[in-house]
């Protein structure tokens, strides 16, 4: 659990944080037993920029102008605080190459777009992974002192790791029935970046994506899960678990599949990009 709280007067600017994280990345030494920042970053009195929210809703497929925030939007609000923690000297995982592997979101009640919120973000801990070290970053949203939304995101830094005696077996799930086929434009990453502020170069252009080993730009993981949830629908009070399994290249064509409370995004040859579950609470 995090220790002391640092109260911010405004959301941090993402561009300098990305630059700082990139510059410090070569000097990081990731390990599951490394020290990590224990500070909770707190941003009180936050109000949503409605124009930016509308842009986010359009690129992700949510209805525009509704009173309640989309389920995934508080992640966007908390992302600058998470980046401040993950780009700092005290965070042991290199920002460059860090992979968002999963997210769990719990919404306790609807969050009005016109509300005033307090954000809290902290690093919950590090854990060994068969491909390196994984960090869990927690985001909490309060309204009037009540916890109304929370999430836990896992981020993987790949490095040589001592494999466990027996690697965990992944759950084999029956393929879900196809619901729709989506043709994704080449500019989806740039449009989502403009709405969310996440301008990681792997999402913006084929040339910058190639620097990190991708043949083309890839969609943001949080865009893929937001697009799926926009199609699936979510109750006011719910819990969502999603795993990012393979990148989505842009442009491209994917299949959205769903049944009951499960959803997934598939690519060519039935390659699974995203899986998720929605639970009413």
């Amino acid at each position: 659990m995090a220790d002391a709280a640092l109260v911010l007067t405004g959301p941090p600017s993402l561009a300098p944080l990305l630059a700082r994280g990139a510059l410090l990345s070569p000097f990081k030494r990731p390990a599951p037993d490394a020290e990590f920042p224990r500070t909770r970053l707190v941003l009180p009195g936050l109000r949503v920029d409605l124009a930016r929210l509308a842009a986010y809703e359009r690129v992700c497929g949510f209805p525009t102008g509704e009173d309640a925030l989309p389920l995934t939007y508080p992640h966007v609000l908390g992302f600058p605080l998470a980046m401040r923690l993950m780009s700092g000297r005290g965070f042991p995982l290199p920002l460059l190459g860090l992979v968002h592997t999963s997210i769990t979101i719990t919404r306790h009640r609807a969050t009005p777009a016109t509300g005033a919120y307090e954000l809290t973000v902290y690093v919950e801990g590090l854990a060994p992974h068969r491909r390196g070290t994984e960090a869990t970053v927690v985001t909490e949203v309060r309204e009037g002192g009540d916890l109304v939304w929370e999430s836990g995101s896992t981020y993987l830094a790949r490095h040589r790791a001592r494999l466990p005696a027996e690697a965990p077996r992944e759950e084999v799930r029956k393929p879900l029935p196809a619901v729709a086929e989506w043709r994704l434009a080449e500019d989806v990453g740039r449009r989502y970046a403009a709405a969310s502020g996440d301008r990681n170069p792997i999402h913006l252009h084929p040339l910058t994506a190639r620097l990190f080993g991708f043949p083309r730009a890839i969609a943001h993981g949080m865009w893929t899960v937001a697009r799926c949830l926009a199609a699936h629908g979510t109750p006011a009070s719910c819990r969502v678990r999603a795993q990012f399994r393979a990148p989505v290249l842009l442009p491209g064509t994917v299949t959205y599949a769903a049944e009951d409370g499960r959803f997934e995004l598939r690519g060519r040859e039935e390659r699974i990009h995203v899986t998720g579950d929605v639970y009413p609470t």
Side-chain angles (χ1 to χ4, degrees), residues 25-42:
S25 286
F27 304 100
K28 298 299 182 76
R29 297 293 180 264
D33 59 352
E35 283 299 314
F36 59 90
R38 310 280 176 159
T39 302
R40 290 181 295 122
L41 297 183
V42 180

Side-chain angles (χ1 to χ4, degrees), residues 119-264:
L119 298 182
T120 301
V121 178
Y122 59 90
V123 179
E124 187 175 57
L126 305 178
H129 187 279
R130 59 192 176 88
R131 293 181 179 175
T133 298
E134 207 167 49
T136 299
V137 179
V138 172
T139 301
E140 299 173 343
V141 180
R142 288 175 172 79
E143 184 183 26
D146 296 330
L147 183 65
V148 295
W149 187 99
E150 58 187 312
S151 73
S153 282
T154 56
Y155 296 91
L156 172 66
R158 291 177 174 151
H159 60 86
R160 184 173 296 176
R162 184 177 298 173
L163 292 175
E166 184 176 342
R169 295 181 180 179
E170 292 191 5
E171 178 188 0
V172 178
R173 304 192 345 164
K174 181 181 176 181
L176 300 176
V179 175
E181 184 177 90
W182 297 335
R183 295 173 183 263
L184 310 182
E186 187 267 342
D187 68 344
V188 164
R190 292 190 293 275
R191 290 171 56 213
Y192 183 83
S196 68
D198 183 356
R199 291 181 170 84
N200 187 319
I202 62 175
H203 305 303
L204 303 182
H205 193 277
L207 291 178
T208 52
R210 286 186 197 122
L211 296 175
F212 298 92
F214 297 100
R216 304 196 299 276
I218 65 172
H220 294 73
M222 284 305 299
W223 177 83
T224 61
V225 73
R227 184 68 186 88
C228 288
L229 290 172
H232 187 279
T234 54
S237 177
C238 64
R239 180 179 175 87
V240 170
R241 295 186 308 178
Q243 289 186 304
F244 308 110
R245 298 184 176 274
V248 176
L249 296 175
L250 300 172
T253 300
V254 293
T255 298
Y256 165 68
E259 187 173 53
D260 300 325
R262 295 171 53 201
F263 63 86
E264 64 187 20

Side-chain angles (χ1 to χ4, degrees), residues 67-150:
D67 183 50
L69 294 174
L71 177 67
T72 48
Y73 196 68
H75 174 85
V76 172
L77 299 177
F79 187 67
L81 281 70
M83 282 295 299
R84 175 162 170 171
L85 290 172
M86 293 192 292
S87 65
R89 292 184 182 276
F91 188 70
L93 310 188
L95 194 63
L96 288 182
L98 204 61
V99 179
H100 194 184
T101 52
S102 74
I103 187 168
T104 299
I105 298 173
T106 303
R107 182 168 61 188
H108 300 283
R109 68 174 190 232
T111 49
T114 53
Y117 299 103
E118 179 182 273
L119 298 182
T120 301
V121 178
Y122 59 90
V123 179
E124 187 175 57
L126 305 178
H129 187 279
R130 59 192 176 88
R131 293 181 179 175
T133 298
E134 207 167 49
T136 299
V137 179
V138 172
T139 301
E140 299 173 343
V141 180
R142 288 175 172 79
E143 184 183 26
D146 296 330
L147 183 65
V148 295
W149 187 99
E150 58 187 312

